[in-house]
């Protein structure tokens, strides 16, 4: 798709001719055309590689599409309504330097444009363009104080139970494989699986025992289908997206056990004919460990306990192996909740939307989707009444919901480094970003991490580590009774390399008057285990109780208002697309639109201040 000729020069008969009467100097569309559009036009060389130079029909101008994408986020317009604004709204045409009578385009052109940005790794182009423009205007610097916080974002999916997730994954896999496999090539169990998962649904009103049997049944059917796909002849089918997703869901939700199985209560049996020797079936899905090669089940019960399958062992050449006369049974059992991973698939229609929970009790908030980190500059200057904010978003990172805020902060640092921004000299955060290691790291880099530290574990009626004066560097600890430790040991975890220290008081506790409040039952003396950076953590816990620290923490509070603005005015709470890459693109445009709105409001306020000053000066001159 080739590109048309491009010019930023307005024609005689265009929306520019109406600017004097319709768009005053402080109008937001005039300011968009003056401040933002030239920056977008300067990015045309970056957009050119997204298109072919001499192939296909002439493309819609990408600068216009980039501007429309920003305006629709500013005004909260979907694609079709945004096109109507381009057709009828004089302000939009003036802001985009469009001429009267310019050809329009179909709303799906915006979809294709976003796909081009995603495919060419230009998702952040709009955000970085506005950020660079703000830097040129002197409103943002490469090294500035920041505040950081995260918010949840719901994926564009419905929340499913474990059973619904497995059954829906099976249904999608069967529908994907059906056109590629002829009736003669399908395995004997195909009709049963299709009737069970494509033509019917599980009754959500059924009891827990029935649903548990259905879960085990779905796992057995998935194991059987994946075993059939394990053949070398079917490797192209195995590589299909839904087949791979089925293998992932099976691995996340089930475990395969070999050995003696528990006796089953069989109310109904379905006997599956073995596959002819000319087309032997492989033992099962690759990557699942079993103690002996297995083949598809001969007999599957409809209801009962764990699904038991008798597996005849075969070799690829159909030669029997030297195994006992009775092969080992195989059980497919659902995993316990404690065995499930947070990164597991919650909905097969959106595998990248993961589960996360925040808070406890009545404050508990759970969602399936993503997590968004928002970094904003901090202007500590006092604003006059009515003056717009001078704070701008300098980073917006979208990542899986199950990842911690510390991981999100690391990704924010990486993103800002790619944009040419330095680490903030002062960063305001909440307790989720503060740890002893982060405090020491920030201090070593000459930066300040301003945020409260979480309290240590509390034991009712007993002194905690916060009641002791601990100096890890000097290997010394003073208890509440004023006695020093008698021994200090350095501990290193082999798996993680984490270093900690154990302080013991031994004989100091024998005749202590505070023994009942310090030493637990069954203990001879008190001991404490703290991390190697406990001194920094202890210092912060004491500092955060001071009035000066509480005053500084007020600079962090404004990030809550920024998140509310992004959620309520720009729809940050709900993803409009499926897939992490597309959601990232959406959030980059949201961050860019928020910065454009703040920039335009600030410039309009400055113009009104100048006009008010000029009016006051003329009035004083007339009075004199």
């Amino acid at each position: 798709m080739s590109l048309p000729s491009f010019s930023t020069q307005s024609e005689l008969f265009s929306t520019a001719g109406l600017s004097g009467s319709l768009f005053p100097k402080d109008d937001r569309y005039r300011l968009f055309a003056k401040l933002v559009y030239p920056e977008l036009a300067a990015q045309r060389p970056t957009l050119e590689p997204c298109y072919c130079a001499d192939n296909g029909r002439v493309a819609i101008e990408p600068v216009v599409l980039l501007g429309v994408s920003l305006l629709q986020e500013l005004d909260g317009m979907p694609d079709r309504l945004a096109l109507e604004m381009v057709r009828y709204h004089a302000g939009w045409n003036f802001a985009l330097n469009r001429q009267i009578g310019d050809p329009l385009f179909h709303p799906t052109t915006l979809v294709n444009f976003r796909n081009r940005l995603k495919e060419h790794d230009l998702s952040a182009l709009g955000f970085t363009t506005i950020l660079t423009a703000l830097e040129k205007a002197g409103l943002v610097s490469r090294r500035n104080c920041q505040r950081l916080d995260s918010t949840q974002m719901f994926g564009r999916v419905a929340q499913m139970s474990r059973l619904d997730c497995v059954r829906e994954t099976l249904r999608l896999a069967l529908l994907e494989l059906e056109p590629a496999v002829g009736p003669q090539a399908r395995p004997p169990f195909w009709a049963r699986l299709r009737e069970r998962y494509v033509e019917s649904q599980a009754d959500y009103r059924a009891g827990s025992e029935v649903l548990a049997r259905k879960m085990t049944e779905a796992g057995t059917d998935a194991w059987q289908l994946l075993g059939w796909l394990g053949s070398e002849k079917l490797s192209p089918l195995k590589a299909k997206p839904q087949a791979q997703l089925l293998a992932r869901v099976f691995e996340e939700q089930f475990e395969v056990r070999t050995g003696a199985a528990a006796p089953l209560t069989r109310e109904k049996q379905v006997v599956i004919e073995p596959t002819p020797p000319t087309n032997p079936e492989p033992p099962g899905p690759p990557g699942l460990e079993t103690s002996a090669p297995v083949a598809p089940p001969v007999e599957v019960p409809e209801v009962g306990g764990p699904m038991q399958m008798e597996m005849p062992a075969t070799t690829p050449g159909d030669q029997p192996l030297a195994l006992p006369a009775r092969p080992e049974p195989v059980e497919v059992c659902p995993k316990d909740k404690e065995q499930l991973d947070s990164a597991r698939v919650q909905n097969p229609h959106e595998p990248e939307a993961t589960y996360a929970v925040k808070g406890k009790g009545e404050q508990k908030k759970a969602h399936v989707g993503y997590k968004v980190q928002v970094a904003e500059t901090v202007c500590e200057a006092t604003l006059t009444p009515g003056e717009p904010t001078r704070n701008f978003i300098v980073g917006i990172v979208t990542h899986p919901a199950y990842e911690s805020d510390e991981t999100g902060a690391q990704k924010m640092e990486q993103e800002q480094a790619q944009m040419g921004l330095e680490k903030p000299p002062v960063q305001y955060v909440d307790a989720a970003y503060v740890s002893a290691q982060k405090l020491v790291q920030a201090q070593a880099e000459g930066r300040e991490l301003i945020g409260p530290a979480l309290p240590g574990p509390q034991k009712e009626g007993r002194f905690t580590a916060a009641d002791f004066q601990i100096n890890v560097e000097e290997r010394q600890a003073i208890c509440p009774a004023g006695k020093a430790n008698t021994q200090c040991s350095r501990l290193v975890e082999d798996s993680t390399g984490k270093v900690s220290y154990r302080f013991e008081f031994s004989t100091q506790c024998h005749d202590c008057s505070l023994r009942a409040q310090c030493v637990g039952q069954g203990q001879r003396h008190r001991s404490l285990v703290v991390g190697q950076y406990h001194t920094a953590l202890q210092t912060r816990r004491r500092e955060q109780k001071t009035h000066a620290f509480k005053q500084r923490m007020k600079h962090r509070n404004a990030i809550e208002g920024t998140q509310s603005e992004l959620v309520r005015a720009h729809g940050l709470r709900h993803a409009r697309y499926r897939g992490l890459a597309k959601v990232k693109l959406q959030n980059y445009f949201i961050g860019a639109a928020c910065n454009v709105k703040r920039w335009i409001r600030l410039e309009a306020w400055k113009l009104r201040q100048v006009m008010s000053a000029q009016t006051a000066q003329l009035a004083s001159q007339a009075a004199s």
Side-chain angles (χ1 to χ4, degrees):
M1 183 175 286
S2 58
L3 287 172
S5 58
F6 179 69
S7 175
T8 58
Q9 183 66 35
S10 300
E11 296 181 1
L12 179 60
F13 298 100
S14 67
T15 53
L18 305 173
S19 61
S21 57
L22 293 181
F23 308 106
K25 292 183 179 181
D26 60 343
D27 183 82
R28 64 184 186 128
Y29 295 112
R30 173 182 281 275
L31 290 174
F32 188 98
K34 176 184 176 182
L35 302 174
V36 180
Y37 183 79
E39 301 296 333
L40 302 182
Q43 298 300 322
R44 194 175 194 270
T46 307
L47 293 168
E48 288 179 0
C50 299
Y51 299 84
C52 298
D54 53 358
N55 184 22
R57 62 182 180 181
V58 177
I60 304 298
E61 176 53 49
V63 174
V64 174
L65 297 177
L66 186 59
V68 171
S69 300
L70 274 178
L71 285 174
Q72 69 177 126
E73 290 294 344
L74 276 170
D75 293 346
M77 303 289 181
D79 292 345
R80 292 188 178 275
L81 190 53
L83 186 64
E84 294 299 310
M85 298 293 284
V86 174
R87 183 192 301 271
Y88 298 117
H89 200 283
W92 275 47
N93 283 274
F94 178 60
L96 298 173
N97 195 32
R98 278 178 48 85
Q99 315 304 327
I100 294 177
D102 281 357
L104 295 173
F105 49 87
H106 196 269
T108 55
T109 304
L110 292 171
V111 179
N112 296 330
F113 175 70
R114 291 192 292 266
N115 289 335
R116 291 178 186 272
L117 293 178
K118 180 173 63 71
E119 292 168 0
H120 290 79
D121 198 21
L122 295 176
S123 299
L125 179 63
F127 183 79
T128 55
T129 299
I130 301 303
L131 195 60
T132 303
L134 292 172
E135 184 181 350
K136 293 178 182 178
L139 299 174
V140 171
S141 62
R142 293 187 178 273
R143 182 177 172 84
N144 46 68
C145 300
Q146 298 178 12
R147 43 180 165 248
L148 176 66
D149 201 5
S150 65
T151 187
Q152 61 183 2
M153 188 175 192
F154 295 99
R156 195 173 179 80
V157 291
Q159 190 167 352
M160 285 185 168
S161 65
R162 294 177 59 186
L163 175 60
D164 290 337
C165 180
V166 176
R167 290 180 61 91
E168 182 66 9
T169 306
L170 270 166
R171 186 185 74 86
L172 295 176
L174 291 171
L175 292 178
E176 180 187 58
L177 296 172
E178 194 171 40
V181 183
Q184 301 299 327
R186 295 171 186 169
F189 56 81
W190 186 275
R192 175 170 54 85
L193 264 61
R194 194 182 195 285
E195 179 183 1
R196 185 173 291 172
Y197 301 106
V198 178
E199 299 175 0
S200 62
Q201 296 180 353
D203 188 0
Y204 66 91
R205 297 170 297 181
S208 57
E209 295 183 1
V210 176
L211 295 177
R213 289 198 300 269
K214 289 289 184 182
M215 182 68 175
T216 306
E217 178 185 78
T220 304
D221 292 338
W223 165 263
Q224 193 172 20
L225 181 61
L226 291 171
W228 174 70
L229 289 173
S231 172
E232 294 182 2
K233 296 180 180 179
L234 301 178
S235 56
L237 299 180
K238 179 183 174 183
K240 287 182 173 294
Q242 296 300 332
Q244 292 181 344
L245 183 61
L246 178 61
R248 174 185 170 185
V249 171
F250 180 85
E251 184 178 0
E252 292 172 347
Q253 298 284 354
F254 300 93
E255 58 182 352
V256 179
R257 303 172 184 172
T258 57
L264 303 178
T265 303
R266 304 189 179 185
E267 300 178 5
K268 182 179 179 182
Q269 296 181 354
V270 178
V271 180
I272 303 175
E273 298 179 1
T275 306
T278 56
N279 185 21
E281 296 183 2
L288 295 174
E289 300 180 357
T290 57
S291 60
V294 292
V298 177
E299 183 174 278
V300 179
E302 283 291 330
V303 294
M307 309 302 287
Q308 177 177 337
M309 301 177 289
E310 301 289 342
M311 301 296 183
T314 59
T315 62
D318 291 335
Q319 298 297 327
L321 295 175
L323 293 176
R326 182 175 179 84
E328 283 190 284
V330 173
E331 298 178 14
V332 177
C333 303
K335 293 182 178 179
D336 297 332
K337 289 185 178 181
E338 293 76 14
Q339 298 176 277
L340 299 178
D341 190 1
S342 300
R344 69 184 186 275
V345 175
Q346 298 289 333
N347 189 312
H349 295 281
E350 171 54 305
E352 293 180 302
T354 55
Y355 175 83
V357 61
K358 180 179 181 180
K360 296 181 181 180
E362 297 181 355
Q363 303 298 325
K364 181 179 179 180
K365 295 180 180 179
H367 80 287
V368 174
Y370 310 92
K371 183 179 287 186
V372 184
Q373 303 286 336
V374 180
E376 182 185 34
T377 59
V378 177
C379 178
E380 299 183 0
T382 303
L383 303 181
T384 60
E387 182 179 359
T389 180
R390 295 177 179 268
N391 302 316
F392 296 91
I393 298 174
V394 290
I396 185 164
V397 172
T398 310
H399 59 101
Y402 66 88
E403 292 183 346
S404 65
D405 283 337
E406 285 195 12
T407 302
Q410 294 175 359
K411 293 185 176 182
M412 178 65 73
E413 290 182 6
Q414 297 172 1
E415 179 186 272
Q416 291 186 339
Q418 293 176 357
M419 295 179 181
L421 299 178
E422 300 178 12
K423 291 184 178 181
V426 181
Q427 190 174 38
Y428 299 93
V429 295
D430 59 18
Y433 299 87
V434 177
S435 64
Q437 184 176 359
K438 291 296 181 182
L439 291 172
V440 173
Q441 180 182 351
Q443 186 178 5
E445 295 173 352
R447 303 185 299 111
E448 286 187 277
L449 184 64
I450 307 298
L454 291 173
Q458 303 291 326
K459 295 184 179 180
E460 187 176 357
R462 292 182 57 191
F463 293 124
T464 64
D467 299 313
F468 289 72
Q469 300 178 15
I470 303 174
N471 192 323
V472 175
E473 290 74 16
E474 297 181 2
R475 310 293 191 267
Q476 186 178 31
I478 306 298
C479 72
K483 300 178 181 180
N485 62 296
T486 57
Q487 185 178 355
C488 179
S489 305
R490 186 175 184 269
L491 310 176
V492 181
E493 294 184 8
D494 295 335
S495 58
T496 61
K498 181 180 178 181
V499 178
S500 57
Y501 292 86
R502 181 195 293 134
F503 294 89
E504 298 187 27
F505 291 83
S506 63
T507 57
Q508 305 282 38
C509 302
H510 291 173
D511 300 325
C512 182
S513 59
L514 301 178
R515 178 183 176 86
Q517 299 175 264
C518 190
V519 181
Q521 293 182 359
Q523 293 181 340
R524 299 182 60 184
H525 59 269
R526 182 61 187 266
S527 63
L528 287 174
V529 178
V530 298
Q532 61 177 331
Y533 304 120
H534 180 77
T535 302
L537 191 63
Q538 184 176 241
T539 303
R540 174 52 54 87
R541 286 172 178 167
R542 293 172 180 171
E543 180 186 8
Q544 67 193 35
K545 298 178 181 179
T546 63
H547 176 73
F549 184 88
K550 295 177 180 179
Q551 290 297 115
R552 296 195 68 184
M553 277 299 296
K554 290 183 178 180
H555 292 297
R556 195 210 72 90
N557 298 341
I559 192 66
E560 303 291 348
T562 297
Q563 288 183 347
S564 177
E565 178 184 358
L566 294 174
V567 168
R568 299 174 186 274
H570 301 286
L572 184 67
R573 179 70 71 224
H574 297 274
R576 294 195 293 270
Y577 317 108
R578 291 178 180 172
L580 182 59
K582 291 184 178 180
V583 176
K584 284 183 178 179
L585 177 64
Q586 171 190 340
N587 292 340
Y588 278 129
F589 273 116
I590 287 177
C594 184
N595 280 341
V596 168
K597 178 177 62 178
R598 293 183 177 187
W599 189 12
I600 288 176
R601 285 179 177 175
L602 181 60
E603 293 298 324
W605 180 83
K606 290 179 180 179
L607 289 173
R608 287 192 290 270
Q609 293 297 109
V610 172
M611 289 186 290
S612 298
Q614 292 176 350
T615 302
Q617 183 178 3
L618 292 175
S620 62
Q621 292 177 356
S624 60

